[in-house]
Amino acid sequence: MEKLTFYAVSAPEKLDRIGSYLAERLSRDVVRHRTGYVLIAMEALDQLLMACHSQSIKPFVESFLHMVAKLLESGEPKLQVLGTNSFVKFANIEEDTPSYHRRYDFFVSRFSAMCHSYHSDPEIRTEIRIAGIRGIQGVVRKTVNDELRATIWEPQHMDKIVPSLLFNMQKIEEADSRIGPPPSPSAADKEENPAVLAENCFRELLGRASFGNMNNAVRPVFAHLDHHKLWDPNEFAVHCFKIIMYSIQAQYSHHVIQEILGHLDACKKDSPRVRAGIIQVLLEAVAIAAKGSIGPTVLEVFNTLLKHLRFSVELEANDLQAGSTGNANLDTSSKDSDEKIVQNAVIQTIGFFGSNLPDYQRSEIMMFIMGKVPVFGTSTHTLDISQLGDLGTRRIQIMLLRSLLMVTSGYKAKTIVTALPGSFLDPLLSPSLMEDYELRQLVLEVMHNLMDRHDNRAKLRGIRIIPDVADLKIKREKICRQDTSFMKKNGQQLYRHIYLGCKEEDNVHKNYELLYTSLALITIELANEEVVIDLIRLAIALQDSAIINEDNLPMFHRCGIMALVAAYLNFVSQMIAVPAFCQHVSKVIEIRTMEAPYFLPEHIFRDKCMLPKSLEKHDKNLYFLTNKIAESLGGSGYSVERLSVPYVPQVTDEDRLSRRKSIVDTVSIQVDILPNSIPSDDVVSNTEEITFEALKKAIDTSGMEEQEKEKRRLVIEKFQKAPFEEIAAQCESKANLLHDRLAQILELTIRPPPSPSGTLTITSGHAQYQSVPVYEMKFPDLCVY
């Protein structure tokens, strides 16, 4: 060998003939099963190959590869391993110039077949499989370094290479799963373990993939997992895609996610567990890619997931409908639970992906999901619910709001306007008037996620009377100008939804807890002096509604509202630290503890709490009194004029879209509080009596200038300080009263002449009188007026 090597190096032009001669001898020895001579010839070829690196080696390589192919074709495992080892040595040689005619199709096919060896002897089978994996690794290294490296990425090659590697990874993983987690392999184990070797080769293959050939390497993975039914259970699938996501270049991550989404679409008719397995794989993939560059696939991911969520809910609704008609199979309940697995997987993926996005993208996703939530009576949502029915629509509402809840988890906006813009707040609050208590809970929890910018919600968990709020160590900052502006614009809307949410008949303990937390968070995050007064007005209005009970609520709900008001006034009194206010609240709570414990949250929300038969006969000392609160706050510099004005929520179109009983009558009728429930000095009447004499005085011109100035000043002051709903309610009531009085005056002052002098159309308030005869009036000045 020394002489032959010296001769070949000295005369490289002779390498071609040397290679041809050795190949001819080796072919004859292989056929005649002269294994010893075969080993000698391959050793000579290997040494010559390693020693000669000149351009003239090209013809010699052809002879070498021909002989390697001969060894791989033989049925002897020893010769197959020998040929593989020689090819691996050749693959590690860096050639000076590329080869434009050499192809490795045969080697890819042969090494892939060796990876699937089923030799009867386990040791020999493992040896052959290891040789096949090492051969594939050699082919990859050789072709990637070659100028014509694109050929190995062609689908016909990838469809052989990737499944071969996955097959070996899968088999050993199954064995390991039976005996527990394997210890971390040593260097020797890596060479002897097909799974470890195949995984390393798979990682190397993916690490060398470029933008153009990434998809060709990933698609065979789906085919393998489908063929071997590895989506349920999906441990191996998750393991594979973790390898893929960590091996490829970060900027190509969105390609893998797009492929998973495409495969999910292709498998939408498969069993629920298969779809759930694919979605779980997507979750693991986006968990790795969310922090990196994911490009335009953000909305595509959410759109596809929401589409499959709707499809799953539709299938679930159809199964339930079939079960109700008696045509369901015995496994309907199992299908139902399987669909819930799919839905939970979708929600988990949406939430995890959304919570890891940057803030600007998360805001877009929040708007995107909110735009999908269907609301009865509107068509603003973009999700097709035509096939769902009422039950399916309710289900999709809950699923979408749960997704939104997960996306908003941990979201910290500097200003509340950023977290709750008007375009998001309006559609978010719409489901809060729905009849379903679970929907209302989810809406409140989403609002808490966005409002709680200082992580105070955990300290407020559970509706209770807090002895000392200072012990909670509430974190808060000074209210900024943007937050003040937000409350001026949207405060009444928030109060309205809390007020109406408290009066729902299907409320449970959790609803009252969340409503209490909402009031507390608004106090902490958004409350200046004006907002505090509005919140106290809201609490007193809730107390009055529970006492009067216009909505015919059950006694539990009335006591629940009373307990919520007590918990909140106890909290806000300590937050603003007005001693007289705290003293009044503490005194009422103390009396309730002794005489009416069902008005306190610690008692009413227990399982076996005795309820009163009525609330009308209770002593006024059990209630929080507006005059006492106004007196205590006024002494500390608060502007308490508005406390004497009962809170009346606005009536909007949402009330007609919410499928609730009509609340227009409830919120627009001013009723006097019963004398035996609240003292008379606690109620201030805001309606002014309008009589004929008052009208005469109104049109008297004497002293008109001074009256006009005073009236103008009062009007300006009222519009500056009073809330909008108060102004609207008072204007409407006065207009109605004026209309009624004018109608009466006209009837009293008509003197029938021989014939009318003309006709007049009178329109006022809600009534219209057409073609009324105009007669001579007793008071001409009134007619002019």
Side-chain angles (χ1 to χ4, degrees):
M1 274 309 305
E2 289 180 1
K3 292 181 180 179
L4 180 59
T5 302
F6 177 77
Y7 177 71
V9 172
S10 302
E13 67 276 4
K14 299 293 185 179
L15 269 174
D16 185 15
R17 293 181 60 188
I18 294 173
S20 300
Y21 173 75
L22 288 175
E24 181 183 352
R25 288 289 303 269
L26 195 144
S27 298
R28 188 168 60 244
D29 293 336
V30 168
V31 173
R32 296 176 180 178
H33 300 286
R34 296 177 177 176
T35 306
Y37 289 117
V38 172
L39 295 176
I40 294 173
M42 284 307 301
E43 179 68 23
L45 285 170
D46 290 345
Q47 291 195 26
L48 288 175
L49 192 63
M50 300 299 292
C52 305
H53 290 168
S54 65
Q55 294 183 1
S56 57
I57 200 175
K58 299 299 179 188
F60 177 76
V61 169
E62 297 303 323
S63 300
F64 171 79
L65 292 178
H66 176 70
M67 287 318 305
V68 171
K70 283 284 185 183
L71 295 178
L72 295 177
E73 285 178 337
S74 67
E76 292 289 332
K78 185 182 295 185
L79 297 183
Q80 291 178 356
V81 173
L82 178 65
T84 302
N85 293 337
S86 297
F87 183 84
V88 171
K89 293 177 184 177
F90 162 71
N92 291 327
I93 297 176
E94 295 185 6
E95 300 183 52
D96 297 333
T97 57
S99 175
Y100 294 101
H101 62 280
R102 191 185 306 153
R103 297 186 63 85
Y104 298 97
D105 299 12
F106 168 80
F107 295 100
V108 170
S109 300
R110 190 60 198 156
F111 288 138
S112 298
M114 292 169 64
C115 289
H116 292 83
S117 172
Y118 275 98
H119 197 280
S120 57
D121 189 340
E123 292 185 0
I124 296 177
R125 180 170 66 241
T126 301
E127 189 177 7
I128 295 175
R129 289 184 179 180
I130 290 175
I133 296 169
R134 294 180 65 235
I136 289 177
Q137 193 173 25
V139 172
V140 172
R141 289 177 179 175
K142 193 65 178 175
T143 53
V144 165
N145 292 329
D146 201 336
E147 289 293 328
L148 298 181
R149 58 185 177 274
T151 56
I152 195 63
W153 299 106
E154 293 176 358
Q156 64 266 26
H157 298 321
M158 287 290 107
D159 290 343
K160 298 173 183 176
I161 292 175
V162 173
S164 301
L165 299 176
L166 296 178
F167 173 77
N168 285 275
M169 292 165 58
Q170 169 196 349
K171 289 298 180 182
I172 304 301
E173 176 132 340
E174 290 177 357
D176 289 342
S177 64
R178 290 193 296 269
I179 60 175
S184 44
S186 61
D189 293 335
K190 290 182 180 178
E191 292 297 327
E192 298 176 359
N193 191 337
V196 176
L197 190 60
E199 182 176 323
N200 291 338
C201 183
F202 190 48
R203 291 180 185 273
E204 184 177 350
L205 174 68
L206 294 168
R208 296 174 183 269
S210 62
F211 180 83
N213 47 47
M214 172 62 60
N215 292 340
N216 291 340
V218 174
R219 285 171 184 163
V221 178
F222 294 106
H224 180 83
L225 297 175
D226 289 341
H227 180 71
H228 292 275
K229 296 179 174 58
L230 297 175
W231 295 111
D232 177 33
N234 67 340
E235 287 81 5
F236 179 73
V238 170
H239 177 65
C240 287
F241 277 92
K242 280 186 176 180
I243 292 174
I244 293 172
M245 296 303 293
Y246 282 117
S247 299
I248 62 175
Q249 301 180 44
Q251 63 267 30
Y252 302 152
S253 299
H254 62 279
H255 278 290
V256 181
I257 294 175
Q258 284 177 327
E259 289 294 325
I260 300 175
L261 293 174
H263 194 70
L264 181 59
D265 287 337
C267 297
K268 66 179 183 179
K269 294 185 178 180
D270 288 4
S271 68
R273 291 188 174 273
V274 169
R275 286 182 280 127
I278 299 174
I279 295 171
Q280 182 67 28
V281 168
L282 178 64
L283 171 62
E284 299 294 339
V286 299
I288 299 170
K291 290 295 185 182
S293 174
I294 48 179
T297 57
V298 177
L299 286 180
E300 184 182 351
V301 169
F302 286 98
N303 197 32
T304 302
L305 288 173
L306 292 177
K307 182 175 65 176
H308 282 276
L309 180 61
R310 182 201 59 78
F311 182 71
S312 175
V313 172
E314 183 178 336
L315 290 177
E316 182 184 16
N318 292 338
D319 289 340
L320 290 175
Q321 186 176 4
S324 63
T325 57
N327 298 325
N329 297 327
L330 295 176
D331 59 346
T332 299
S333 59
S334 63
K335 285 183 179 179
D336 181 30
S337 61
D338 289 346
E339 289 298 339
K340 283 185 171 56
I341 293 174
V342 176
Q343 295 160 16
N344 291 332
V346 171
I347 292 171
Q348 188 179 9
T349 305
I350 288 175
F352 193 89
F353 194 13
S355 61
N356 282 279
L357 290 174
D359 287 346
Y360 72 93
Q361 281 187 326
R362 204 193 300 203
S363 299
E364 294 177 358
I365 295 306
M366 288 158 50
M367 294 291 298
F368 181 75
I369 297 176
M370 199 65 244
K372 298 282 185 179
V373 178
V375 178
F376 291 116
T378 65
S379 58
T380 56
H381 56 87
T382 58
L383 201 65
D384 181 18
I385 59 170
S386 57
Q387 304 296 325
L388 293 180
D390 287 353
L391 183 62
T393 301
R394 174 191 174 276
R395 185 73 177 159
I396 199 69
Q397 287 172 330
I398 292 176
M399 294 292 107
L400 290 173
L401 287 175
R402 285 179 59 193
S403 304
L404 185 63
L405 180 63
M406 294 196 69
V407 172
T408 56
S409 178
Y411 182 62
K412 295 289 188 298
K414 293 183 179 179
T415 62
I416 197 67
V417 181
T418 306
L420 285 170
S423 56
F424 179 73
L425 181 63
D426 294 338
L428 174 63
L429 291 179
S430 294
S432 70
L433 294 180
M434 292 294 179
E435 291 180 322
D436 191 279
Y437 71 94
E438 191 174 355
L439 283 174
R440 300 196 301 273
Q441 290 176 6
L442 291 170
V443 170
L444 291 173
E445 288 178 329
V446 171
M447 287 181 58
H448 296 170
N449 280 344
L450 299 174
M451 281 186 182
D452 185 22
R453 292 170 289 175
H454 298 90
D455 298 321
N456 293 311
R457 187 172 32 163
K459 304 170 185 176
L460 301 169
R461 184 171 291 122
I463 179 171
R464 64 195 189 280
I465 303 297
I466 303 172
D468 189 358
V469 174
D471 293 341
L472 300 180
K473 297 181 180 178
I474 299 291
K475 297 179 182 178
R476 62 184 307 191
E477 296 178 3
K478 185 178 179 181
I479 308 301
C480 65
R481 184 182 303 171
Q482 293 89 337
D483 291 349
T484 303
S485 176
F486 172 85
M487 287 305 293
K488 285 184 178 179
K489 183 178 180 181
N490 302 294
Q492 297 299 326
Q493 190 178 7
L494 294 176
Y495 305 150
R496 171 178 179 272
H497 283 265
I498 292 174
Y499 179 83
L500 299 178
C502 289
K503 299 169 68 174
E504 293 286 353
E505 294 183 359
D506 61 339
N507 279 341
V508 296
H509 180 197
K510 186 177 180 181
N511 289 85
Y512 292 112
E513 281 190 356
L514 294 174
L515 289 164
Y516 162 75
T517 306
S518 299
L519 290 168
L521 287 176
I522 293 175
T523 306
I524 295 170
E525 298 286 348
L526 303 168
N528 53 17
E529 290 188 7
E530 183 178 351
V531 174
V532 167
I533 296 297
D534 286 337
L535 290 170
I536 294 174
R537 286 178 63 227
L538 173 62
I540 297 299
L542 286 171
Q543 175 182 258
D544 296 344
S545 69
I547 297 170
I548 301 169
N549 196 24
E550 296 173 355
D551 298 297
N552 296 320
L553 293 174
M555 186 55 67
F556 168 78
H557 294 78
R558 297 171 68 184
C559 293
I561 294 174
M562 299 292 282
L564 184 150
V565 172
Y568 174 66
L569 289 180
N570 172 72
F571 176 81
V572 72
S573 64
Q574 297 186 54
M575 287 296 293
I576 63 177
V578 176
F581 186 20
C582 294
Q583 184 178 1
H584 172 62
V585 173
S586 300
K587 184 178 180 181
V588 173
I589 291 175
E590 184 180 350
I591 296 174
R592 286 187 179 186
T593 304
M594 301 297 294
E595 300 180 11
Y598 38 78
F599 284 168
L600 297 176
E602 290 84 356
H603 294 80
I604 185 61
F605 296 121
R606 289 191 306 190
D607 292 337
K608 297 180 180 179
C609 177
M610 297 295 294
L611 298 175
K613 294 182 179 180
S614 67
L615 303 185
E616 285 71 18
K617 297 181 180 180
H618 282 81
D619 185 16
K620 67 179 183 179
N621 293 327
L622 292 174
Y623 303 127
F624 302 99
L625 306 181
T626 305
N627 60 339
K628 295 287 185 67
I629 296 175
E631 182 182 346
S632 62
L633 293 178
S636 298
Y638 280 81
S639 178
V640 296
E641 291 83 4
R642 294 200 342 273
L643 276 179
S644 60
V645 182
Y647 171 77
V648 179
Q650 299 174 1
V651 180
T652 67
D653 291 338
E654 290 179 359
D655 302 318
R656 288 180 284 279
L657 302 177
S658 61
R659 287 193 172 182
R660 306 166 73 248
K661 64 181 182 180
S662 177
I663 65 168
V664 178
D665 298 332
T666 303
V667 300
S668 62
I669 297 177
Q670 296 278 355
V671 290
D672 293 331
I673 301 175
L674 295 176
N676 57 358
S677 62
I678 296 294
S680 58
D681 60 348
D682 198 40
V683 182
V684 177
S685 176
N686 291 293
T687 59
E688 180 183 350
E689 185 179 6
I690 301 175
T691 63
F692 179 74
E693 293 296 329
L695 286 174
K696 282 193 66 177
K697 290 179 182 178
I699 62 175
D700 189 4
T701 57
S702 62
M704 181 67 72
E705 188 174 346
E706 302 230 349
Q707 291 180 8
E708 284 295 328
K709 285 184 180 179
E710 181 65 14
K711 183 178 179 181
R712 200 176 294 115
R713 187 188 67 79
L714 292 174
V715 169
I716 292 173
E717 183 178 355
K718 183 173 183 178
F719 273 88
Q720 284 178 341
K721 295 184 178 180
F724 174 80
E725 81 279 2
E726 176 191 334
I727 299 170
Q730 192 167 355
C731 289
E732 183 178 2
S733 63
K734 285 191 175 184
N736 291 335
L737 286 171
L738 181 60
H739 155 259
D740 296 336
R741 293 298 186 188
L742 282 173
Q744 294 176 8
I745 292 169
L746 287 173
E747 291 176 0
L748 291 174
T749 58
I750 290 177
R751 183 176 61 192
S755 62
S757 58
T759 59
L760 173 68
T761 300
I762 302 175
T763 303
S764 175
H766 302 290
Q768 186 172 14
Y769 304 91
Q770 303 227 353
S771 301
V772 178
V774 178
Y775 299 100
E776 180 184 356
M777 310 295 289
K778 289 183 179 179
F779 305 96
D781 53 350
L782 181 61
C783 289
V784 173
Y785 178 75

